[in-house]
Amino acid sequence: MNSFKPMLLTSLKSYDSAQFAKDVTAGIIVAIIALPLSIALALASGVGPEAGIFTAIVAGFVISALGGSCVQIAGPTAAFATIVAGIVARDGLEGLMTATILAGVFLIIMGFCHFGSLIKFIPYTITTGFTSGIAVTIVIGQLKDFCGVTYPDGVKPIETMEKLKAFAENFSTISPDALIVGGVSLAILIVSPLIFKKIPGSLIAVIAGILMVQFLPLHVSTIGNLYTISNALPTLHLPVFDMKLIQSAIPNAFTIAVLAAIESLLSCVVADGMINSKHRSDTELIAQGAGNIASALFGGIPATGAIARTAANIKNGGRTPVAGMVHSITLVIVLVVLMPFAGMIPMPTIAAILFLVAYNMCQWRTFVHLVRTAPKSDIIVLFTTFVLTVVFDLVVAIEIGMVLACLLFIKRMSEETHADSWVYVDDDSPAVDEHLQKLPLEIRVYEITGPLFFGAADAIEHIVVKDFTKCLVLRMRSVPAIDSTAMNALQNLTKLCESKGITIVFSHVNEQPMKVMKKSGFVELVGEENFCSNISDALKHAEELISR
């Protein structure tokens, strides 16, 4: 249980009324920010508006109470919108519940197995590529509502490219009224932060959108036209355990778990920098898992740490998990009192909010910087992940992106591994340096540089011995690691040398390669006396061997 140490218990040891007041204030402000975002993200995910509120309430409370960060605010985020919408369209709400619960289980396992530090092995180009791709898919998915385009009966596109095609084919049905509402809402979202520092722009945009539709002759679809609005509190709903459904949900569940881990730990790192603290990554993963399971059981969608809401919590004085719990409790009150009014929110306003969310998460400056400065292999991974996210889905993008990144990394590392022979010159050559090592002609020396693994094992095949060679010295001071494929190549080289009566002497074998050599019996095969700690001892031993 060393992996699980909630920050709440640590924070309460030195808690006082002054900090409680700050946490309550921050929690209420964050709840006001989360309200329109939760509704918008739920609609973008293909579920009802109340599902977003349920997620912020249940997952937000559980993750704050059990999490490894003092200030993390959790809830629905844009990163999940596309994948959740696809799951709902294909497998329904039961499929989404199954995938979310499985993702929660995966996250808990990751936490107890100390995988918190392993997330760093996901390349930056992959996270940037799929994050930018998600932003594009959100924009494409919201073009219909922002422009008020109507589709013929039976046309319900699921994939991003299907949505883009359907929008283009029905562009002639664009609604000027919807464009007016969406355009004004988007303008408010852009301008309001410059004027109102404390009031969320999304809340102002929602109020303005409702007023425009209610008091102006504008015919625009609202949430109430498309969804049944309820202010009922979330209730427990147990999943239907269907083995076929579970099998189909595993890939999506794994993607949700990886996304939740990346987003939440990234949010924790950002928060640490803002308040000079240190989060507990494994505890955070366990809390994320518990929060997602609870969210699914109470009608919510996948959740993770939200960077923007976490930053707002910090800026408004929140310093303990109590602020996140207050944020959830505030949303319960809002759900009961104000949820019926959510039906009046125009869909173009929701689309405008999501446009701004997509812009904030797209990281276009980072994307452009990587294209300008990164190595070609990284640019290939970046564009591949981005395109696959938009054209196919996030599961395919992460899978192929990781495989491609690994292959390109292996290629890059294999190019850095080489075996170079010492250059031999005649004693009477005018270019001879007096500091050169004087060696008998029967001794041949190779210096191996770089990790010896399956992608670079062929470097050993470049080692050539002459007919007059009696001793081969392999200098391995620059070999940090070796694997079984390279060991097999070394064994083949040893057998070849034995058949020619050549003795191999090893110089400066590092710790990891030596462990592998001992475990495989290679040290016994070569002879322990033929392993020397440095090149001087190795050359001296080689001269003794050929003099016998």
Side-chain angles (χ1 to χ4, degrees), residues 107 217 270 503:
L107 282 164
V270 172
T503 304

Side-chain angles (χ1 to χ4, degrees), residues 351-386:
I353 292 172
L354 290 168
F355 279 174
L356 194 65
V357 169
Y359 175 79
N360 289 334
M361 73 176 292
C362 72
Q363 297 182 305
W364 68 269
R365 291 182 182 86
T366 302
F367 196 100
V368 172
H369 177 72
L370 285 172
V371 171
R372 289 176 177 173
T373 61
K376 287 184 179 179
S377 58
D378 287 344
I379 295 173
I380 292 171
V381 173
L382 177 69
F383 271 101
T384 300
T385 309
F386 172 77

Side-chain angles (χ1 to χ4, degrees), residues 21 47 85 103 166 178 193 229 254 295 345 362 394 421 423 445 468 478 483 490 505 526:
V47 296
I229 305 297
F254 179 75
S295 176
I345 302 174
C362 72
L394 202 56
S421 171
V423 178
V445 182
F468 50 78
S478 298
D483 72 356
L490 276 178
V505 176
V526 175

Side-chain angles (χ1 to χ4, degrees), residues 167-363:
F167 176 78
E169 290 175 347
N170 297 279
F171 186 75
S172 58
T173 64
I174 193 170
S175 167
D177 291 352
L179 277 176
I180 291 172
V181 174
V184 171
S185 300
L186 189 58
I188 291 171
L189 288 165
I190 296 171
V191 174
S192 63
L194 305 176
I195 302 171
F196 305 102
K197 302 297 183 182
K198 294 291 185 180
I199 306 174
S202 55
L203 184 62
I204 299 173
V206 164
I207 295 172
I210 292 173
L211 292 176
M212 280 190 287
V213 173
Q214 294 298 316
F215 297 103
L216 294 178
L218 298 173
H219 300 286
V220 175
S221 294
T222 63
I223 293 177
N225 299 144
L226 303 176
Y227 299 92
T228 301
I229 305 297
S230 171
N231 62 346
L233 294 174
T235 55
L236 180 64
H237 176 63
L238 296 177
V240 176
F241 290 102
D242 183 341
M243 189 54 64
K244 186 177 180 181
L245 194 61
I246 291 173
Q247 289 176 346
S248 65
I250 287 177
N252 288 325
F254 179 75
T255 303
I256 291 171
V258 171
L259 266 179
I262 294 172
E263 291 277 316
S264 63
L265 296 182
L266 177 60
S267 178
C268 287
V269 170
V270 172
D272 287 347
M274 295 178 71
I275 63 173
N276 193 27
S277 67
K278 180 71 174 176
H279 72 279
R280 297 166 182 165
S281 56
D282 294 327
T283 298
E284 184 63 25
L285 290 181
I286 295 170
Q288 291 288 334
N292 274 278
I293 292 173
S295 176
L297 292 176
F298 284 91
I301 58 178
T304 187
I307 297 175
R309 276 161 268 175
T310 299
N313 178 38
I314 294 170
K315 290 176 183 178
N316 287 282
R319 290 294 182 275
T320 76
V322 173
M325 297 160 72
V326 170
H327 138 269
S328 298
I329 295 170
T330 304
L331 285 174
V332 172
I333 299 171
V334 170
L335 174 67
V336 175
V337 177
L338 298 179
M339 198 60 185
F341 296 100
M344 300 163 63
I345 302 174
M347 294 304 295
T349 299
I350 294 294
I353 292 172
L354 290 168
F355 279 174
L356 194 65
V357 169
Y359 175 79
N360 289 334
M361 73 176 292
C362 72
Q363 297 182 305

Side-chain angles (χ1 to χ4, degrees), residues 369-434:
H369 177 72
L370 285 172
V371 171
R372 289 176 177 173
T373 61
K376 287 184 179 179
S377 58
D378 287 344
I379 295 173
I380 292 171
V381 173
L382 177 69
F383 271 101
T384 300
T385 309
F386 172 77
V387 171
L388 289 175
T389 301
V390 176
V391 176
F392 295 97
D393 59 47
L394 202 56
V395 177
V396 173
I398 292 178
E399 289 174 349
I400 294 181
M402 284 298 295
V403 170
L404 184 61
C406 290
L407 290 175
L408 290 173
F409 175 77
I410 290 169
K411 180 178 181 296
R412 193 184 306 167
M413 286 296 99
S414 65
E415 292 171 351
E416 297 299 319
T417 301
H418 47 86
D420 301 312
S421 171
W422 280 15
V423 178
Y424 289 80
V425 296
D426 296 331
D427 289 340
D428 55 356
S429 172
V432 172
D433 188 331
E434 61 180 6

Side-chain angles (χ1 to χ4, degrees), residues 125-135 259 262 385-386 389 394 397-398:
T125 47
I126 289 182
T127 57
T128 302
F130 75 63
T131 301
S132 300
I134 290 170
L259 266 179
I262 294 172
T385 309
F386 172 77
T389 301
L394 202 56
I398 292 178

